[in-house]
Structures are given as structure tokens and as C-alpha cells.
Amino acid sequence: MRFSFLPIGLLVANLASLALGDEDCREIVRFPLTLTWEKGAPDGFERDMIFMNGQFPGPTLELNEGSYVEFTVTNNLPFETTIHFHGIEQLHSPWSDGVPGVSQRPIPSGGTYVYKWRATQYGTYWYHGHLAGQLEDGLFGPIHITPAKGTVTPFDLISNNTQDLYQLAEAAANPQIVVLSDWSHFTSEELRDISLAADIDPLCGDSILINGKGAVNCPGVPFLMSLIPPAELPVLLGANLTDKGCLPLTNFLAQTSYPHNFSAVPASLFSGCHATDPGNATILADPHQGWVSLNFISTASLQEMVVSIDDHPMWVYAVDGRYIVPQLVDAITFSHGSRHSVFVQLNQPARDYTLRVAGDGLNQKVYAQGTLHYIGGHDTNIPNPSINYAGANTSASVTFLDDSTVVPFPPVAPSQTVDQTYKLLLNRTGAAWQWSLNDDTPYNESLEDQTPLLWDPTELAHTPLTITTLNNTWVDLIFLVTISGGLQPPHPIHKHSNKAHIIGFGEGEFNYTDVAEALKYIPGNFNLDNPPYRDGFYTLPAATSSTWMAVRYFVENPGAFFLHCHINPHLTGGMALVILDGIDVWPTVPTQYGPGGNGQCDC
Ligand SMILES: *[C@@H]1O[C@H](CO)[C@@H](O)[C@H](O)[C@H]1NC(C)=O
Ligand SMILES: *[C@@H]1O[C@H](CO)[C@@H](O)[C@H](O)[C@H]1NC(C)=O
Ligand SMILES: *[C@@H]1O[C@H](CO)[C@@H](O)[C@H](O)[C@H]1NC(C)=O
Ligand SMILES: *[C@@H]1O[C@H](CO)[C@@H](O)[C@H](O)[C@H]1NC(C)=O
Ligand SMILES: *[C@@H]1O[C@H](CO)[C@@H](O)[C@H](O)[C@H]1NC(C)=O
Ligand SMILES: *[C@@H]1O[C@H](CO)[C@@H](O)[C@H](O)[C@H]1NC(C)=O
Ligand SMILES: *[C@@H]1O[C@H](CO)[C@@H](O)[C@H](O)[C@H]1NC(C)=O
Ligand SMILES: *[C@@H]1O[C@H](CO)[C@@H](O)[C@H](O)[C@H]1NC(C)=O
Ligand SMILES: *[C@@H]1O[C@H](CO)[C@@H](O)[C@H](O)[C@H]1NC(C)=O
Ligand SMILES: [Cu+2]
């Protein structure tokens, strides 16, 4: 028996912002968001940062599937901005996707903008700043969309016990959202200026935050060095990690051998660790409810993060918003922008358990802790970690989620053939800070100020910075991660608008015209049956050879949509292009979203 549920709690929570249209019964959720630039110290170090309605992270946008959103941004920042809704497909509302120069003009300082879209999907998403590197200044908050009544869930693949099924449904309807972020003591503008002046990739942060809280940890160089597996030691070129856990600036594998000007880099960007401990996040769970749903969102700019909870395995049941065939694991790796929702059974002695979040990238060892507290329990905590400070397993029995084995639920299979194939060359081009997503051509940041491509899709027609598709067709994007420009880390490629099927990976050059030809020679590298269905795709690193990844999607939502790396310095360094989906049936932009418009109208 499948179990469906009424999201009563969320309906009540939304009543204040619920309004009914005159002619129909549209549920419209009005969400005002005022942005301010203030001093804040999430990890105990004070810096200038962005607050949303006075909060950081921003307030959660709670919606029911099918409802309409009016998200009104009041920009009280001393600079321009835009807001993107990560993973929201923007079906029939491409003008609300929030990318400057692609779907709108920047919102000026002192201005307002009304994003209007419909929640056509359920699940966990997030909103964030999409102008320059503003994500790094703290401009982000969660979105949670309750599934339509009657949506089939995969919960009976976890248990068929009636009480469990009731409790799982309740837990999913009232989730605890856990925002995982990395944090720098420099503003995004400072990082950008330093990168260009010194010609470096600013790959070193200061802390990891859980729900906006964290500590700066300085465990010492010998301890940090002890975390590096022997196989990775050669990458250090005989040097030590810095006291912040970073590869030193002088590491040419990370920073290239382009001429740098290291005197333009403040010493504290890569080293000079000063520990803080202003208080960590606590997640409250009521053991009487049997289960809790933790809906994790990675907002990371730099770090790939590994998550586990002492003594509590996790049933992963949704990825990038959508249900999957549940998998029981001890640890999950989060790429930048990804969301995984998990059920945790509260069947342990009522006390405190440590939630561990560890950056596992080569660029930096950085770590955070929070507490899972059983309501009514003791505050004693007997540590029993599954992962260490670097995100590695502490014993051979620890299981990690392998994202490539994730099966969508219910199944959603890609077409077996496509109408069009685009091969995209990922490279580091011409400077240590500069990256490209197609044909060695970086997406220049000045394009944020151009006439939005949604208004004039011909604007970049003579460049490799746009690709075009026809509506109602299937398209393959084959990402070619070349080693010819130096080492490349895994790139978390994010596709705006609808999700795509991740159908294949491989090491070496992709020596084929398209997937159909490759299938004849290397069928084992592909899954066209039930592959992961995501809005983010993590390429394999190019460490000893080039690598490739193939994703397949259906064009059904005409408009101009960004495709880019979600490592923030790679995005601002040019690793982006614009997909002009459905160029044959290009949408007419409503007046309120055209020149001079800000989404407001009397309509
Ligand atoms: C629950 O029952 C369904 C239908 O019989 C079955 O497919 C599923 O595997 C069962 N779940 C568990 C956890 O045993
Ligand atoms: C690395 O750190 C260790 C311990 O602090 C020290 O003995 C050693 O000299 C350092 N190596 C380099 C190359 O700096
Ligand atoms: C290097 O950076 C320093 C500090 O910003 C600057 O004074 C100097 O002119 C730069 N040198 C070169 C060669 O650009
Ligand atoms: C907060 O977490 C850090 C690890 O990130 C840990 O060292 C510290 O002891 C924790 N602080 C408190 C008050 O529990
Ligand atoms: C981590 O897991 C691997 C693979 O199971 C195992 O070989 C290794 O010994 C484990 N690490 C530790 C510290 O137990
Ligand atoms: C980006 O565009 C601006 C304005 O057109 C130009 O000044 C700058 O040189 C360009 N940057 C690069 C790296 O091409
Ligand atoms: C990648 O960029 C490097 C540096 O600009 C260049 O030498 C190399 O040819 C590029 N690779 C390809 C395949 O274009
Ligand atoms: C692709 O072609 C190159 C050059 O012909 C060859 O060296 C390489 O082995 C081929 N790679 C694969 C994966 O077949
Ligand atoms: C684009 O294609 C989708 C999928 O077939 C279809 O639903 C939609 O109506 C088409 N849009 C236009 C404007 O023709
Ligand atoms: Cu990248």
C-alpha cells in the first residue's frame, strides 16, 4: 500500500501569504525579500555580507506544488543584483530565471523586481544571487515545495510497517532544512580583484557553515598533512598544506605556471589561521516522531562536502528535489548546488550526536560540526565518527552514496536517440583565473550588462557562447574535460531550466561523433535505461588524462538558459554559456519584463 499525506503544517504556515485570484482558485504565495549589506560574523570573524529580511541564510520559501509565486526583491544593497531559483524549471516563465544579460537587466541599487513563476515540481531547491560572485557574500536561502496530493512516494521501499510509513510521511511533510555552505573572510569583489591582479584561482576559504553557523578550525599543519592519502601526496610537490588546510599558492598544478603577481595576494587568503568557536548549529529531532527528514542543500562556492551523522545511517530518498529509489548510506558527498533529502531513524539513546561536514577536495581540508539533539534527551555526546576531518571513511564498513547509482523514482527514462549533439570543451584558457565551457572562449563577466539574450537571442550568434536548440527535440551535451590546459578538478555543471539525464562518463578522449557511435564501441560507459536525473552534473577530474561526460535532455521550455560551472571562481572566471532553447518558437517577453520593466504590473 502506498501512503499519501496532507501537508497540513505547511498549508497553515502559508495562510498568511495566501491569496485567491478573482476568477480562479490560484494559490499565490507572495514572498518579499529585502536585501541589505551589513556586518556579520557567521564563523566568528566579522565581515561585510548580505542579509535577507535581516537573516542569513535567507528565510525558507515554502510552497505547495502547483502554486504561483510572487517573489519581490527590494535591493537595498550598495550594488546591483539578481536572484536565481536553483533547480526551478521556470516552465513558461523564462524571464524569472534571474541571470543578468540572459533573462533580465540587473536590479539596480534601490530598485525592486518581482519574479513570478509556478511551482511545477516538488522538492528541495534554493534561491541565490546570480550577479558576479554574490553567492560568496551570503545571498542564498532554501525553497521547499510540498508535493501535490496523491504524489506516489518511494517510502514503502524503506519499510512496510504502518507506523513507519505514517512517520516517514510526517517527517517528509515537515522537514528540517540543513543548509551547507563554505565561507570566506573576503567579499566576492575582493576575491575577484585579487584573482585578476595576481592571476590566481582563489581556491582557499575559511570555514564551513551549517545553517549559517560554524567555527574556524586550525588543527595544525602536521594533523592536516596526516589527512593526505599517500597517492595524493605528489600533488603537494614536496610542500606542506598551509595552516588553513590549503594547497599553497605556489602550487603550479593548482595555480598553473602563468606568470603570477603573488604580492597582490593578501597573506591571509591562503594562510594565517585564527581559530574561532562562536557556536555550532543544533538540529532538534523529536524521538517520539520516530524519524526525521533532513533536506540538505549545498550552497558551496568552492568545496565539495561530505556529510555524516554519528550512529545514524541515512536513507537518501530525494536528489535535486525529485524522489529516488531509497538507498541506506553512512555518508553522502555534496557537489556545489546539489540537494539530497534523507530520512534518519531516531532509534538511538536520547542524547546528542555529531553531524559532520568535511570538505574533501584536493584544494583544501576544511571541516564543520553540528549537533543532532534528541528533544527531551541528555546533552551528552559520545563521538563515533564515520568520516574524518577530510571526509574519508574511518572504517572499512562505512558506506558512501555513489551518485551514479541513483535511480529516479518513479522511473523517467531518456529518449534512446537524439536530434542534436553539442560537444563542449572545458578548459582553463589564457590565465590562472580564467575558464571556458566551449571552444576555449570564456564568458566575459561584462556580458552581464548586455541586452538580455531573452530579448535578443541573436546577440552572441557569432560566438561559441550560445548554442541553439529546437523545441520538442532531444539534445545531448557532451562535456570534454581536456587536460591540455592543465589539471582540472571535477566541475559541478549546473543547467538552468529543466533537468537532464546523466547518461555516460569516461576517461580519455571522446573519440566519437556522438553517443550513438560511442555506444557501438564503449556501451559499458552508458546508462540509457534509468540514469540519474538532475539539475547538476559533476564531471570526472582530469588528473592524468582528459575525461568526458554526456547528459541528455528534452527541449520543452523555450527561452535563454544559463549552463555553467557552480564553483564560484570558475563561473566568474568564464565557465559558462547560454542555451537558447526552442529558438523556433521563441517566447514573446511580457511588457513588464521587457525594457524598463521590473515584473510589476496591474495585470
Ligand atoms: C513493501 O511492499 C512492497 C509491495 O509488496 C514491496 O515492493 C516492497 O519491497 C516492500 N518494502 C520493503 C521495505 O520490504
Ligand atoms: C612540513 O611540516 C613539518 C611539520 O610541521 C615540518 O617538519 C616540515 O619541515 C615541513 N615541510 C616543509 C617542506 O615545509
Ligand atoms: C603586483 O601587485 C602589486 C600589489 O598589488 C602591485 O603594486 C604591483 O605593481 C604588481 N606588479 C606587477 C608587475 O603588476
Ligand atoms: C564547533 O565545531 C567545531 C568543529 O567545526 C568544534 O571544534 C567545536 O568544539 C564546536 N564547538 C562547540 C561549542 O561545540
Ligand atoms: C576505507 O574504506 C576502504 C574501502 O573499503 C578501506 O580499504 C579502508 O581501509 C577504509 N579506511 C579505514 C581508515 O578503515
Ligand atoms: C571582458 O570585456 C571587457 C569589456 O568589453 C574588456 O575590457 C575585457 O578585456 C574583457 N576581458 C577579457 C579577459 O577578455
Ligand atoms: C586549452 O587551453 C590551453 C591554454 O590556453 C591551450 O594551450 C590548449 O590548446 C587548450 N586545449 C584545447 C583542446 O583547445
Ligand atoms: C582516442 O584517440 C587517441 C588518438 O588517436 C588515442 O590515443 C586514444 O587512445 C583514444 N582514446 C580512446 C578512449 O579510445
Ligand atoms: C515546446 O515543446 C513542448 C514539448 O513538446 C510543448 O509542450 C510546448 O507546447 C512547445 N512550446 C511551444 C511554444 O510550441
Ligand atoms: Cu568548474
Side-chain angles (χ1 to χ4, degrees):
M1 186 199 78
R2 306 242 185 239
F3 202 93
S4 64
F5 56 87
L6 274 171
I8 292 160
L10 291 170
L11 274 178
V12 172
N14 275 340
L15 274 180
S17 55
L18 186 144
L20 296 179
D22 288 340
E23 306 85 17
D24 53 21
C25 295
R26 287 180 167 199
E27 184 192 4
I28 301 178
V29 175
R30 302 202 161 89
F31 194 81
L33 196 74
T34 300
L35 310 178
T36 51
W37 184 241
E38 295 172 61
K39 301 274 183 216
D43 66 2
F45 177 93
E46 192 177 81
R47 56 159 281 189
D48 290 320
M49 59 178 288
I50 296 173
F51 284 83
M52 293 135 283
N53 297 352
Q55 303 176 38
F56 167 76
T60 300
L61 171 58
E62 289 278 8
L63 301 170
N64 292 313
E65 187 179 357
S67 61
Y68 292 77
V69 185
E70 285 186 20
F71 190 105
T72 303
V73 178
T74 302
N75 179 13
N76 289 344
L77 302 170
F79 39 75
E80 299 177 325
T81 193
T82 64
I83 302 268
H84 168 64
F85 305 90
H86 189 113
I88 298 295
E89 60 190 3
Q90 299 294 358
L91 195 59
H92 312 310
S93 54
W95 32 83
S96 288
D97 198 45
V99 183
V102 177
S103 54
Q104 69 172 96
R105 293 251 185 228
I107 310 169
S109 179
T112 60
Y113 198 91
V114 188
Y115 293 99
K116 293 180 205 155
W117 46 270
R118 186 172 190 202
T120 51
Q121 310 138 280
Y122 64 84
T124 304
Y125 300 86
W126 56 302
Y127 59 86
H128 66 79
H130 216 303
L131 193 135
Q134 286 172 10
L135 177 58
E136 283 163 326
D137 298 320
L139 181 37
F140 50 78
I143 301 174
H144 177 251
I145 306 173
T146 297
K149 211 175 142 184
T151 301
V152 176
T153 75
F155 305 161
D156 70 354
L157 299 175
I158 296 171
S159 171
N160 275 323
N161 172 290
T162 309
Q163 186 186 5
D164 280 338
L165 286 171
Y166 174 78
Q167 292 179 338
L168 290 170
E170 284 292 307
N174 301 286
Q176 298 261 11
I177 294 190
V178 187
V179 180
L180 310 171
S181 316
D182 52 6
W183 192 244
S184 170
H185 293 170
F186 292 86
T187 66
S188 66
E189 196 179 348
E190 287 166 344
L191 289 172
R192 172 79 179 166
D193 289 348
I194 295 165
S195 305
L196 269 63
D199 193 6
I200 59 153
D201 210 356
L203 295 174
C204 189
D206 287 284
S207 58
I208 284 179
L209 307 178
I210 304 172
N211 285 339
K213 292 180 162 189
V216 177
N217 295 303
C218 306
V221 172
F223 173 79
L224 291 164
M225 288 301 292
S226 75
L227 299 168
I228 306 208
E232 279 177 28
L233 269 176
V235 175
L236 274 152
L237 305 168
N240 284 331
L241 290 173
T242 72
D243 62 351
K244 286 171 76 172
C246 295
L247 284 178
L249 195 46
T250 49
N251 186 293
F252 75 86
L253 294 173
Q255 294 296 345
T256 74
S257 42
Y258 289 111
H260 308 286
N261 180 359
F262 289 146
S263 60
V265 183
S268 64
L269 183 54
F270 278 72
S271 60
C273 197
H274 296 287
T276 62
D277 194 1
N280 298 326
T282 297
I283 292 157
L284 301 177
D286 183 353
H288 296 111
Q289 290 173 346
W291 295 80
V292 64
S293 176
L294 303 180
N295 296 17
F296 293 103
I297 302 171
S298 166
T299 74
S301 292
L302 289 181
Q303 316 296 350
E304 172 179 294
M305 296 183 280
V306 183
V307 173
S308 85
I309 309 169
D310 290 8
D311 300 310
H312 288 79
M314 303 176 278
W315 277 104
V316 189
Y317 73 91
V319 173
D320 284 1
R322 197 178 186 282
Y323 293 140
I324 62 163
V325 174
Q327 293 199 34
L328 186 64
V329 299
D330 299 306
I332 302 171
T333 305
F334 284 82
S335 69
H336 314 58
S338 71
R339 289 89 60 212
H340 289 69
S341 296
V342 307
F343 288 126
V344 174
Q345 189 163 21
L346 302 168
N347 57 0
Q348 297 297 310
R351 53 178 179 84
D352 284 354
Y353 297 87
T354 303
L355 166 67
R356 296 168 198 273
V357 185
D360 74 341
L362 266 177
N363 60 308
Q364 184 172 15
K365 308 299 172 207
V366 57
Y367 174 84
Q369 273 175 209
T371 301
L372 175 68
H373 174 74
Y374 277 54
I375 294 171
H378 301 284
D379 58 6
T380 50
N381 185 339
I382 306 163
N384 183 23
S386 295
I387 59 169
N388 70 9
Y389 192 99
N393 56 314
T394 54
S395 81
S397 63
V398 173
T399 52
F400 285 73
L401 179 70
D402 176 351
D403 268 320
S404 71
T405 65
V406 162
V407 176
F409 179 95
V412 50
S415 165
Q416 300 301 295
T417 57
V418 290
D419 304 286
Q420 200 177 7
T421 296
Y422 275 107
K423 288 184 187 167
L424 305 173
L425 177 70
L426 282 65
N427 201 1
R428 188 182 237 182
T429 29
W433 59 269
Q434 192 162 256
W435 296 83
S436 54
L437 187 53
N438 193 15
D439 201 17
D440 290 337
T441 308
Y443 191 92
N444 189 321
E445 204 173 13
S446 67
L447 297 176
E448 291 186 336
D449 295 323
Q450 77 182 346
T451 302
L453 284 155
L454 184 62
W455 304 357
D456 178 8
T458 66
E459 203 160 15
L460 296 172
H462 53 289
T463 75
L465 296 175
T466 56
I467 60 175
T468 56
T469 68
L470 299 178
N471 196 38
N472 198 23
T473 64
W474 282 88
V475 176
D476 276 346
L477 304 175
I478 304 178
F479 299 94
L480 308 173
V481 187
T482 178
I483 194 149
S484 61
L487 295 191
Q488 297 201 47
H491 296 285
I493 305 296
H494 172 51
K495 181 181 170 299
H496 290 211
S497 191
N498 61 350
K499 290 183 170 59
H501 309 269
I502 307 177
I503 59 172
F505 287 98
E507 306 263 352
E509 306 296 329
F510 185 84
N511 290 339
Y512 313 98
T513 8
D514 54 20
V515 169
E517 190 192 4
L519 276 170
K520 291 181 200 154
Y521 298 94
I522 48 167
N525 289 54
F526 292 93
N527 175 2
L528 291 179
D529 197 23
N530 53 9
Y533 187 52
R534 314 260 323 239
D535 48 53
F537 336 114
Y538 221 20
T539 62
L540 299 172
T544 53
S545 71
S546 299
T547 66
W548 58 268
M549 171 176 70
V551 310
R552 180 166 290 187
Y553 79 100
F554 181 54
V555 184
E556 56 182 345
N557 185 31
F561 294 108
F562 226 29
L563 179 76
H564 65 94
C565 180
H566 224 281
I567 295 176
N568 221 38
H570 293 189
L571 166 61
T572 57
M575 201 168 223
L577 60 77
V578 179
I579 308 178
L580 303 172
D581 266 335
I583 195 76
D584 52 326
V585 285
W586 199 248
T588 305
V589 179
T591 317
Q592 74 265 28
Y593 287 107
N598 71 346
Q600 246 147 5
C601 66
D602 303 324
C603 44

